[in-house]
Amino acid sequence: MEGSCVDEALSHSARRQQTPPHASEAPQRMGSGVSAVLDPTPESGMEAVSRKLKLSSSQYKGVVPQPNGRWGAQIYEKHHRVWLGTFGNEAEAARTYDVAAQRFRGRDGITNFKPLSESDDDEAYEFSFLVAHSKAEIVDMLRKHTYHDELQQSKRAQGGDLVVGRRTTPRYLRSARLMLFDKVVTPSDVGKLNRLVIPKQHAETYFPLESGSSVASKGVLLNFEDAGGRVWRFRYSYWSSSQSFVLTKGWSRFVREKKLKAGDVVSFWRSTGPEKQLFIDWRTDVIASFRTMTPPPTVNPVPVVKLFGVDISELLPVNGGDRKRGREAELFPPSQFVEQQFFEAL
DNA sequence: AAGTGTGTTGAG
DNA sequence: TCAACACACTTG
């Protein structure tokens, strides 16, 4: 079987991109794999013996015709073909390939249709589901045609409501998280102004305030949970004088306690669940720590140990960045950020 | 017999 | 990396 090498570490890097480009349109073509375009004569029994039936190739990537008119799906990795099963219809085989492509090649793997899930949330969820399983497991589901069911089932299993009490929510959320945006903090973001400027485009997209309303000028209080499960509350408002969106009250405390420096990166996340809970995380300025470190520098500033239950500590330098994050690292929740770190580390 | 997936090759 | 093709092997 070719499935033996399937479980190696992910081979390709994935770039973070909100909307991966689609593969070209794939207009439906009916019919079986047997090309009969100009020969509608039904093959009956014996003619097939002498006639060499030409299999019509698939319009879909990763899909190959089978002699009986069905379709096979396959993906290549490391010189080897990984067989993904056979299917009665071409598009189904193509979707199967797509799933494998995402699992094997990351978010930006070329696909026939993806993203199928129209909502970002769904897509984020599906991706975390993929990464949470080994390649072999995914391939197995695909071959047995149970992938979709298992995905749904896992959604259902997660589906329970997270009761948000007055306190912190459970720090280990199972639900997938969607990265909203990163910001490299400027000197003024960590300086005396006690505010963080949210780039306008991101502010309007992710933290909309009714423009001109009193709410906008007075601001609203937003809660963000950090990797350690601690909740930070910031005032978020619009400063008309500078025409900018800012986090004010509460921000300086975050800067102080996290020892944020200019050049560090703050990232914002949102849970994909119905609660739309917000998260904040930060990481050190990779370039700066690269410069100041004495021993062979670590590539990864976040000493993530586990990724969706998969121990990747051997793949990542554990000595971490130059500033400690303590036990927070162990508690770092599943997230696309982690996925990116993971992919990029390989 | 029907269906599946591998061996192999050559193109890109 | 990818699909085309032939055919051995498996399954019902």
Side-chain angles (χ1 to χ4, degrees):
Chain A
M1 286 282 261
E2 291 190 54
S4 49
C5 64
V6 145
D7 218 1
E8 293 171 359
L10 301 182
S11 49
H12 288 60
S13 67
R15 245 129 259 125
R16 23 144 180 90
Q17 198 180 43
Q18 299 286 354
T19 314
H22 287 237
S24 55
E25 303 272 321
Q28 274 311 37
R29 200 210 308 135
M30 297 288 99
S32 67
V34 177
S35 133
V37 181
L38 294 178
D39 177 17
T41 311
E43 301 289 341
S44 61
M46 43 193 258
E47 296 105 285
V49 175
S50 54
R51 188 169 319 185
K52 192 151 109 189
L53 294 181
K54 181 178 177 184
L55 298 179
S56 82
S57 59
S58 175
Q59 62 194 305
Y60 296 113
K61 186 176 170 60
V63 177
V64 292
Q66 290 295 95
N68 55 358
R70 289 166 57 83
W71 300 91
Q74 61 186 21
I75 189 169
Y76 285 82
E77 167 167 88
K78 303 271 215 177
H79 304 211
H80 288 291
R81 171 176 45 203
V82 177
W83 188 252
L84 304 173
T86 57
F87 304 85
N89 94 43
E90 202 179 352
E92 192 189 350
R95 280 194 301 273
T96 295
Y97 172 85
D98 288 356
V99 171
Q102 298 255 279
R103 175 60 247 249
F104 281 62
R105 294 164 188 176
R107 224 183 234 319
D108 287 351
I110 304 226
T111 58
N112 295 291
F113 300 117
K114 291 245 165 188
L116 278 181
S117 24
E118 66 307 323
S119 84
D120 286 350
D121 289 354
D122 261 14
E123 204 194 314
Y125 189 89
E126 181 166 357
F127 198 75
S128 58
F129 174 84
L130 281 173
V131 180
H133 293 80
S134 70
K135 292 179 188 179
E137 286 171 325
I138 296 297
V139 167
D140 197 55
M141 294 180 210
L142 293 173
R143 287 176 74 148
K144 292 192 316 208
H145 300 195
T146 61
Y147 173 76
H148 209 69
D149 284 349
E150 301 222 26
L151 176 60
Q152 291 312 122
Q153 196 177 332
S154 115
K155 282 181 180 170
R156 206 157 302 141
Q158 300 280 319
D161 304 328
L162 289 161
V163 180
V164 179
R166 39 181 131 53
R167 281 285 193 80
T168 65
T169 53
R171 42 174 85 144
Y172 196 82
L173 275 183
R174 298 273 172 183
S175 160
R177 294 178 191 187
L178 182 64
M179 177 155 88
L180 303 177
F181 60 92
D182 278 343
K183 184 183 183 188
V184 178
V185 300
T186 65
S188 68
D189 286 332
V190 295
K192 297 172 194 158
L193 297 178
N194 297 326
R195 59 94 177 105
L196 172 75
V197 171
I198 306 289
K200 188 173 184 182
Q201 182 191 341
H202 293 139
E204 289 173 341
T205 307
Y206 302 113
F207 306 144
L209 281 174
E210 253 182 76
S211 64
S213 69
S214 62
V215 182
S217 51
K218 278 175 56 185
V220 294
L221 291 176
L222 297 179
N223 293 327
F224 294 86
E225 185 177 319
D226 71 13
R230 177 167 170 192
V231 174
W232 299 83
R233 171 172 292 190
F234 305 122
R235 177 175 299 279
Y236 170 60
S237 57
Y238 179 69
W239 283 353
S240 53
S241 58
S242 55
Q243 300 192 345
S244 52
F245 294 87
V246 286
L247 293 183
T248 56
K249 185 166 180 288
W251 175 249
S252 60
R253 183 182 174 90
F254 186 85
V255 170
R256 194 183 330 126
E257 300 201 14
K258 302 295 189 186
K259 298 188 169 63
L260 273 193
K261 299 286 187 289
D264 291 349
V265 178
V266 178
S267 54
F268 295 90
W269 306 81
R270 197 198 70 204
S271 71
T272 68
E275 308 85 15
K276 301 288 183 268
Q277 193 183 357
L278 296 170
F279 300 87
I280 186 171
D281 190 35
W282 65 277
R283 55 192 190 271
T284 57
D285 177 356
V286 180
I287 307 297
S289 34
F290 190 90
R291 269 199 305 271
T292 58
M293 271 184 305
T294 30
T298 69
V299 181
N300 196 313
V302 182
V304 175
V305 175
K306 287 215 160 191
L307 174 66
F308 300 108
V310 178
D311 188 354
I312 58 170
S313 49
E314 289 185 348
L315 297 169
L316 298 171
V318 181
N319 45 338
D322 53 350
R323 265 176 279 146
K324 287 206 168 77
R325 302 193 63 195
R327 60 169 50 82
E328 283 187 9
E330 294 162 20
L331 302 171
F332 198 88
S335 69
Q336 290 170 22
F337 171 64
V338 180
E339 292 160 18
Q340 285 160 19
Q341 294 283 325
F342 184 48
F343 285 124
E344 286 163 10
L346 297 176

